[in-house]
Each structure stands twice: as C-alpha cells, then as structure tokens.
Amino acid sequence: DAGVIQSPRHEVTEMGQEVTLRCKPISGHNSLFWYRQTMMRGLELLIYFNNNVPIDDSGMPEDRFSAKMPNASFSTLKIQPSEPRDSAVYFCASSGEDRSFNSPLHFGNGTRLTVT
Amino acid sequence: AQSVAQPEDQVNVAEGNPLTVKCTYSVSGNPYLFWYVQYPNRGLQFLLKYITGDNLVKGSYGFEAEFNKSQTSFHLKKPSALVSDSALYFCAVRIMDTGRRALTFGSGTRLQVQP
C-alpha cells in the first residue's frame, strides 16, 4: 500500500493567487481529514469527510478555504485568494472508520505551503 | 473546553535511560487517547491508543502508555531510549460523547535522545 499521497510536496506562491492541494487516501478508507500545522498553532483540524460527505468544517479558517471530496479516492483543499498567514504544512490523513471510531489516522507527508 | 495538554516542549534523555513524555486531558465524556510520532519532513505515525480495558497499553517501537483516570493523564513511556527515538511526539484525544469525532492534538513534545 502506497499510503496517503499528497501533492505537491512544496508550493510557493504569491499573495492573492489560488492554491490547490491534493490528496489521495488509502484505498478502502472511508474517512479523510485535512490538518494544518504551524509553529504557533500546532496541528489544527480544518475539515473531515466521512464517505465523501463533509462532517465537520468548523476548523476551516474563513471563506477563502474550501475542500471537496468528489469521490472516495481524491480530495482537494483550495485557498483563494492566498495570504502570507496561510503559510504552513498541510496534512491529509485517512482512516477506515467503523462505528467504534477508534481507527488510527494514516497521514500523508504533507504539503509545505509558502505564500509570499 | 475539551482538550489535551503536553506540558513539556522538549524532553532530553540519555540513550539507554527510561523516557517519559507527559500528556493530560480534559474531557467531559469518555476519551479515546492516542500517541503519534512525527519525524522531520514526514507526516504523523500512529504509535498506540487507549480505548478501554487495561490501563497499560503497548505500541510500536517498544513504547507504552499508561491511562490514569484519576489524574487524567496518558503518559508515554519507554524503558530504554534510543537515539532514533528523537522526534516530535503528539498526544491526541477523540471525544466520543459529542458530534465532533475527529482527533484533537496536543502541542507536541520534542524528544531529544543523546548518545
């Protein structure tokens, strides 16, 4: 199994530009999570999906952020327009959730976003 | 607010010595507790979890953690540290009595094992 695959690994863009981050979860996993990691705020949950449906997006910072999961094998996180304060490492994680909700998360290697 | 706290930003230990990385939680319901490790430029990796049952749980790479309900703690331990254990460690909690099911992570503790 290739694990959770994120692309790109690094993204450098100018303020105001649109940024799209991509994630391919582990095959068979039915839950997908987007987290953001910064030195100041640590790991923050942005949004998570279960069976392709957004369950909790209360962590999405503002309307500039949007996430989609059009099918079980692909998700995107979009920032439009981007701002310097969005600079962070963005992680995607997936899990094979059952009713017990105790399945561990499998993380991708992240996308390091720098907005200048 | 329901959360986890890792009171130490960094823990230093000599190779071969026992290590402890501390975690306390504050929840109103039944917590599911997890430990993850992060190596440089990598995503987090699952180490172990406590759901119910035995308070001492064993995980990957020789790590274990003890759930203490009276002290609301879930400290990570290893009897003999290795230099390769040097990494960033995160405690996390999943609150099962609310609608929000996703993991909430602590601020992380950097473990430095000196040769």
Side-chain angles (χ1 to χ4, degrees):
Chain A
D1 194 331
V4 176
I5 299 173
Q6 291 186 247
S7 64
R9 284 300 308 272
H10 303 274
E11 177 79 38
V12 180
T13 190
E14 293 183 346
M15 182 174 64
Q17 296 298 307
E18 177 180 296
V19 175
T20 299
L21 312 181
R22 297 173 174 80
C23 175
K24 177 178 170 55
I26 292 173
S27 177
H29 281 186
N30 58 355
S31 288
L32 183 140
F33 305 79
W34 283 99
Y35 282 88
R36 178 171 66 176
Q37 186 178 34
T38 61
M39 289 292 293
M40 292 298 295
R41 301 174 69 91
L43 270 166
E44 303 173 278
L45 175 70
L46 299 177
I47 185 171
Y48 83 91
F49 297 84
N50 185 254
N51 294 322
N52 311 340
V53 176
I55 302 300
D56 183 353
D57 65 353
S58 59
M60 295 286 264
E62 49 201 87
D63 291 345
R64 298 185 297 107
F65 286 69
S66 62
K68 294 182 179 180
M69 192 165 186
N71 56 61
S73 59
F74 184 65
S75 177
T76 59
L77 178 68
K78 185 176 293 186
I79 308 172
Q80 167 63 18
S82 58
E83 297 182 2
R85 58 190 169 128
D86 301 331
S87 298
V89 181
Y90 290 81
F91 287 103
C92 176
S94 70
S95 71
E97 288 292 334
D98 57 19
R99 290 185 180 277
S100 63
F101 291 97
N102 63 13
S103 300
L105 269 60
H106 298 258
F107 282 78
N109 285 330
T111 295
R112 182 175 297 276
L113 173 65
T114 303
V115 184
T116 60
Chain B
Q2 303 182 99
S3 62
V4 288
Q6 295 181 243
E8 302 157 316
D9 290 337
Q10 181 155 328
V11 170
N12 297 309
V13 64
E15 187 174 29
N17 283 1
L19 69 86
T20 298
V21 182
K22 296 180 180 178
C23 172
T24 59
Y25 64 91
S26 174
V27 303
S28 57
N30 296 316
Y32 286 7
L33 294 157
F34 300 77
W35 276 101
Y36 284 78
V37 60
Q38 185 180 28
Y39 297 100
N41 300 313
R42 301 294 298 274
L44 280 69
Q45 297 177 32
F46 169 74
L47 278 179
L48 51 81
K49 66 182 178 183
Y50 172 81
I51 304 302
T52 188
D54 203 350
N55 288 343
L56 184 65
V57 293
K58 295 186 183 296
S60 307
Y61 313 121
F63 284 94
E64 58 189 27
E66 185 170 12
F67 173 67
N68 188 319
K69 188 171 184 178
S70 62
Q71 297 186 6
T72 62
S73 67
F74 188 57
H75 301 333
L76 181 70
K77 300 182 180 184
K78 187 174 183 180
S80 178
L82 300 173
V83 173
S84 57
D85 292 331
S86 299
L88 192 55
Y89 290 80
F90 290 93
C91 183
V93 64
R94 172 168 281 177
I95 312 302
M96 294 310 300
D97 293 343
T98 68
R100 195 164 195 259
R101 307 285 189 179
L103 284 179
T104 298
F105 286 88
S107 55
T109 299
R110 186 165 300 282
L111 174 66
Q112 193 69 39
V113 181
Q114 287 122 1

